[in-house]
Amino acid sequence: MSVIGSIDVMGQVQRNMARDPEPTPEQIARMDRLVNTINADAENIVRQACTANETASSLSMHAQIFTQAPEGTHPLPADALLRIFLWHTSADKVPRMPARPPVENDASERAWACFLALSNIRFIGKLPQNELWLDRYCDSWPGLFNWSVYFFAQRVRGAPSADQALAAHMTLAELLVGLLHNPRLQSAMIATPGVSDLAGKLWGYRCAGSPLGRFAEILAASIIPGLLTNGTMEQLNEFCSAAVTSDMDAVAQLAMKRLKRSVHSPAELLEKRNAQELHAHAVAIVILTRLPLHPLTATLLRDNVTWVMTSALVNVARAIDLHGSADLRQTPDLIDCVNAGFTFLRYALLRSDSYRWVAQSLDAGLLEAIAALCLVVEHMDLGPASVLLRDALKAIIHDTLPKHMVYKSVLKVARRELDEVPHRHVQERVRASSINAYWEVLKNLLTLRSTIAEIEILQKGMATCDSLACLKAEKKTQLKRCAGCQYVYYCSKDCQVAAWPDHKRMCKLKGESLKGPGKSRMFLESDVAFIRKLVGTDAYAHLPHLRRIAKRDNPNEPGENFVICIDYTDPEYPAGKCSTKNIRTYQFSDMMSQAADPENANGQNEEMISMVRKAPKSWTFIENTFTLGEQKITRNLMLRQNIWIGGDSKLEHAMNWQHHQAKFACPNARHGLPSMLENTFGDLLDLPAEILSDEQDSDNEA
């Protein structure tokens, strides 16, 4: 008895049973005879089915009964069916491109009937437990891949209707997602030339706006982490080129459109399909932005992906609260979203122009998300992923956020958002979690830096005459700005003439930088001004133990010969740590690779050091290092006057960290962050305006 005849009989029985659930005695007898016949000669039937004489309709019926009827309904063993399906999808049977429309019973029709079964969970879901089947899939992968490429062109792009295209798209995506879950198959797939192209085509295909279409997009997005988690620049380029026919902007727009659409309200995220949708598109974003130097990363950041991802994380946190269950296993899809959100932020907040993304994330509710989810992160059990997630949360709160509190744009948003965090989250969750110490440090740092920002505002508009013989402090409106560099001020023509020999070269260099490429700044102007104020103020804070260092290490060196160095890049010392260098041997770090105009910048550096060496008692030279993305930026300032020999005792007393009992000290001091319970703010506001009001600076990268 042929397989074709057998399947026709079984199909009729199935159709009859669908109409009438109670089969007649005659139908039961026919089914028994059929099963007995197949069982008696199964091997011969399989051999006959593995020929070009087998019809597509018979193979389709095999696939339908195997995938749709109750498991075990098909009289042929599943192993025999797998052999049949893989025979018809071998690589040697794939037609040449371009793909042609299917013809009844041709090779593509037969192969497609087999694909419907090969992509089904009844095969793919059992691969981890069935080594024989896994071996067969691995051996057959070249054919499955080549047929997938052909079918995308034939049955997705070339489909006569949107519904048919969607059905084909889902079958191909299901096959790839299922195979990628197995490490052996995943390795073979990643090593296959052209697989990134296929993944890009499936992801980039615009499915219909129906629930089924959105599910197809979820499937396509789920291919990305399996293929591109460790992908190269070339593989990501191939993916992007296949996804759209234009440029990176179009790829970013598509990714953002799908992500935004999946940021449901907290109540909606309690529905499993909505949480799965958010997770799929969020993970896709994580992978698409994993290469810092790839243009897609910069494009997505520019399109505000950080704000959207943080907003999604806030909604997930609120959804978990709405669910109200202490058993995290009841919300696995939401937990997956938490993992994706914090993983993304850990790395996105370190990309170029990081202060922008940190401020953006804070504005979208980052502190609320951290406070709401810190215990969830601590208690979840995701295997190795749990450790990585806890590391991500610690990196954000302990490392990234404190390092970026040197930027006024970040500080301003952080201060506002800290006040918006629900008090119960802090009391009931943060206090009970391992991040409590980091939260307290961040809060204290915000208070300290906000004090300095207030001073900056009160002293805004003040400047000092640039003549060393004068140094008169006035409002800028009462002074005259140098027309050449637009940087320094003089109280009179006489002072300008007296200062000209020392200012001449710097005036020319700064004037040229305003006209050339160096005019483009790396930072916001408000951030530049705040960093100057911060460094100048902290120089006084460190001065007592700087003096001890100098006396211990260089007892015979005059104080005016020391450069003050303050480093804000060590998370263990979030308020900065100090050291000294000798002005006579000081060298600037190499900045040729990063400066917009290296020659001009180096010229300014040389002139700065020359000015200080000529009159060391007139200047305090300060080198400070802070974070920008994954880089360490060195900025140099010249502060009038030399605070080693003419420091202000009131400011020293107010900012002397040895007077306070706080944690995380500069390693060269006994104590650390000033306690804001002290009257530091009032002491500082009483200072004369000329203190810290006049600096010259240059940018340098280490």
Side-chain angles (χ1 to χ4, degrees):
M1 182 180 232
S2 72
V3 170
I4 298 174
S6 301
I7 290 299
D8 286 340
V9 173
M10 180 168 279
Q12 186 60 46
V13 172
Q14 291 287 329
R15 288 190 291 274
N16 290 341
M17 290 177 67
R19 291 195 300 269
D20 184 5
E22 294 294 329
T24 64
E26 181 182 354
Q27 289 172 332
I28 294 174
R30 288 179 66 187
M31 177 66 77
D32 288 341
R33 288 196 300 273
L34 172 63
V35 172
N36 290 336
T37 301
I38 293 177
N39 288 339
D41 198 17
E43 190 62 34
N44 186 49
I45 291 172
V46 171
R47 280 198 299 269
Q48 293 182 45
C50 292
T51 68
N53 293 326
E54 182 67 297
T55 65
S57 61
S58 293
L59 291 168
S60 179
M61 186 62 69
H62 275 300
Q64 288 181 39
I65 295 172
F66 177 73
T67 60
Q68 298 176 19
E71 198 159 1
T73 299
H74 201 294
L76 274 180
D79 184 72
L81 289 172
L82 180 61
R83 287 162 56 193
I84 294 171
F85 296 146
L86 290 178
W87 188 89
H88 286 281
T89 55
S90 61
D92 61 304
K93 298 178 179 64
V94 182
R96 292 183 178 180
M97 297 292 276
R100 294 169 294 178
V103 177
E104 185 177 359
N105 212 41
D106 68 356
S108 71
E109 283 279 84
R110 294 194 294 272
W112 184 248
C114 297
F115 255 58
L116 297 174
L118 291 171
S119 62
N120 191 269
I121 194 171
R122 289 186 179 175
F123 275 137
I124 292 179
K126 294 184 173 65
L127 292 184
Q129 295 82 37
N130 194 319
E131 285 291 328
L132 177 61
W133 288 10
L134 179 58
D135 289 341
R136 289 178 178 170
Y137 265 92
C138 288
D139 292 341
S140 303
W141 164 245
L144 295 175
F145 169 69
N146 290 332
W147 273 114
S148 296
V149 173
Y150 188 86
F151 285 144
F152 183 86
Q154 182 194 58
R155 294 174 181 266
V156 180
R157 288 263 172 86
S161 71
D163 288 343
Q164 289 175 299
L166 179 58
H169 179 281
M170 289 183 63
T171 298
L172 296 176
E174 283 177 338
L175 177 67
L176 293 186
V177 171
L179 297 182
L180 283 166
H181 275 91
N182 187 277
R184 275 182 60 193
L185 278 162
Q186 183 186 37
S187 297
M189 295 167 74
I190 292 173
T192 302
V195 72
S196 297
D197 180 270
L198 175 61
K201 288 175 179 175
L202 287 167
W203 179 79
Y205 185 75
R206 270 70 164 180
C207 300
S210 63
L212 199 60
R214 293 177 74 166
F215 180 68
E217 291 177 351
I218 292 174
L219 281 173
S222 300
I223 297 171
I224 295 175
L227 279 182
L228 296 176
T229 294
N230 297 307
T232 64
M233 190 79 74
E234 292 72 22
Q235 287 171 323
L236 185 54
N237 284 337
E238 183 180 47
F239 174 90
C240 293
S241 298
V244 295
T245 56
S246 49
D247 54 18
M248 289 299 169
D249 285 344
V251 178
Q253 288 168 10
L254 182 58
M256 287 296 294
K257 177 182 177 182
R258 291 176 177 173
L259 178 64
K260 288 178 180 178
R261 194 176 61 197
S262 65
V263 182
H264 303 284
S265 70
E268 291 171 331
L269 283 172
L270 292 177
E271 296 183 31
K272 185 179 182 68
R273 64 177 181 178
N274 289 336
Q276 288 177 333
E277 181 182 28
L278 174 59
H279 176 244
H281 295 307
V283 171
I285 292 288
V286 172
I287 305 305
L288 293 177
T289 57
R290 60 171 287 271
L291 297 177
L293 300 180
H294 195 278
L296 182 58
T297 299
T299 305
L300 282 166
L301 288 170
R302 186 194 64 207
D303 288 349
N304 303 319
V305 66
T306 303
W307 198 95
V308 177
M309 286 286 278
T310 307
S311 299
L313 196 57
V314 171
N315 281 5
V316 169
R318 293 173 180 175
I320 291 174
D321 282 350
L322 283 176
H323 188 273
S325 173
D327 187 357
L328 298 176
R329 292 172 296 182
Q330 294 186 22
T331 58
D333 299 299
L334 291 176
I335 297 306
D336 287 340
C337 292
V338 172
N339 193 6
F342 279 126
T343 300
F344 169 81
L345 291 174
R346 174 178 188 169
Y347 299 104
L349 299 184
L350 297 179
R351 301 306 184 213
S352 299
D353 293 340
S354 56
Y355 63 93
R356 298 180 189 274
W357 321 133
V358 172
Q360 195 176 86
S361 183
L362 287 166
D363 187 50
L366 174 60
L367 293 179
E368 178 187 341
I370 291 173
L373 294 169
C374 57
L375 286 181
V376 171
V377 171
E378 270 188 36
H379 296 156
M380 68 173 50
D381 184 12
L382 298 174
S386 299
V387 177
L388 296 176
L389 178 54
R390 286 190 273 273
D391 287 345
L393 179 58
K394 178 182 176 182
I396 293 169
I397 187 72
H398 172 57
D399 193 328
T400 302
L401 291 183
K403 284 181 179 179
H404 284 81
M405 293 305 150
V406 300
Y407 297 98
K408 188 176 183 179
S409 56
V410 175
L411 178 67
K412 181 180 179 180
V413 179
R415 186 66 183 171
R416 182 194 72 209
E417 291 299 314
L418 183 66
D419 294 336
E420 296 296 322
V421 176
H423 182 68
R424 62 185 180 87
H425 288 350
V426 177
Q427 291 301 113
E428 299 170 8
R429 303 180 189 185
V430 175
R431 294 284 179 265
S433 74
S434 61
I435 71 163
N436 183 50
Y438 308 139
W439 186 273
E440 285 299 307
V441 168
L442 182 64
K443 186 175 72 172
N444 287 340
L445 193 61
L446 277 171
T447 306
L448 175 64
R449 298 284 165 78
S450 297
T451 299
I452 297 172
E454 290 294 328
I455 298 169
E456 181 200 10
I457 292 172
L458 292 175
Q459 294 181 342
K460 191 173 183 180
M462 297 295 296
T464 302
C465 177
D466 196 55
S467 172
L468 293 176
C470 178
L471 300 179
K472 182 180 180 181
E474 294 282 0
K475 290 183 178 180
K476 289 181 180 179
T477 54
Q478 296 176 332
L479 300 173
K480 298 183 184 300
R481 180 182 293 185
C482 174
C485 67
Q486 300 289 309
Y487 193 76
V488 299
Y489 292 82
Y490 299 100
C491 62
S492 66
K493 186 69 174 177
D494 291 340
C495 282
Q496 183 176 18
V497 171
W500 180 244
D502 293 327
H503 178 60
K504 180 178 180 181
R505 176 165 165 72
M506 184 64 81
C507 182
K508 179 182 178 182
L509 290 167
K510 284 192 173 292
E512 290 174 349
S513 69
L514 291 174
K515 302 173 184 176
K519 184 178 181 179
S520 176
R521 283 194 174 271
M522 300 170 68
F523 314 109
L524 301 175
E525 184 59 40
S526 60
D527 287 337
V528 173
F530 177 71
I531 290 172
R532 291 175 187 157
K533 188 62 61 179
L534 170 66
V535 173
T537 304
D538 280 353
Y540 279 94
H542 287 281
L543 194 54
H545 47 279
L546 281 166
R547 284 183 170 142
R548 291 200 306 273
I549 295 171
K551 185 176 181 180
R552 180 194 66 198
D553 298 339
N554 299 280
N556 299 319
E557 192 75 33
E560 62 266 23
N561 285 345
F562 289 111
V563 175
I564 296 176
C565 304
I566 306 177
D567 186 350
Y568 297 104
T569 65
D570 189 337
E572 298 302 321
Y573 306 102
K577 60 182 182 180
C578 72
S579 59
T580 61
K581 295 180 181 179
N582 195 307
I583 193 66
R584 294 178 298 178
T585 58
Y586 182 83
Q587 291 185 336
F588 289 93
S589 301
D590 178 31
M591 59 184 294
M592 297 298 289
S593 61
Q594 297 291 337
D597 185 354
E599 185 177 351
N600 182 281
N602 284 335
Q604 289 192 43
N605 285 343
E606 292 172 3
E607 184 60 20
M608 283 180 66
I609 207 70
S610 175
M611 291 169 64
V612 176
R613 286 171 179 164
K614 285 179 183 177
K617 293 183 179 181
S618 300
W619 302 97
T620 303
F621 190 82
I622 307 174
E623 172 195 278
N624 74 98
T625 306
F626 54 96
T627 294
L628 177 64
E630 296 179 272
Q631 304 176 69
K632 290 184 178 181
I633 302 294
T634 299
R635 190 174 186 84
N636 303 289
L637 291 90
M638 296 164 60
L639 177 69
R640 299 182 193 271
Q641 302 170 352
N642 192 305
I643 65 175
W644 288 92
I645 57 177
D648 181 86
S649 59
K650 182 179 285 188
L651 181 58
E652 267 189 51
H653 178 78
M655 295 302 294
N656 186 347
W657 294 2
Q658 297 180 81
H659 296 166
H660 305 286
Q661 309 229 342
K663 299 177 181 178
F664 301 100
C666 167
N668 293 311
R670 296 175 187 170
H671 301 290
L673 287 169
S675 166
M676 297 316 297
L677 298 177
E678 303 286 342
N679 196 26
T680 303
F681 190 29
D683 286 346
L684 292 176
L685 295 183
D686 290 336
L687 291 173
E690 64 267 17
I691 294 181
L692 308 178
S693 65
D694 183 59
E695 306 94 10
Q696 296 194 36
D697 66 278
S698 71
D699 290 322
N700 194 12
E701 293 201 23

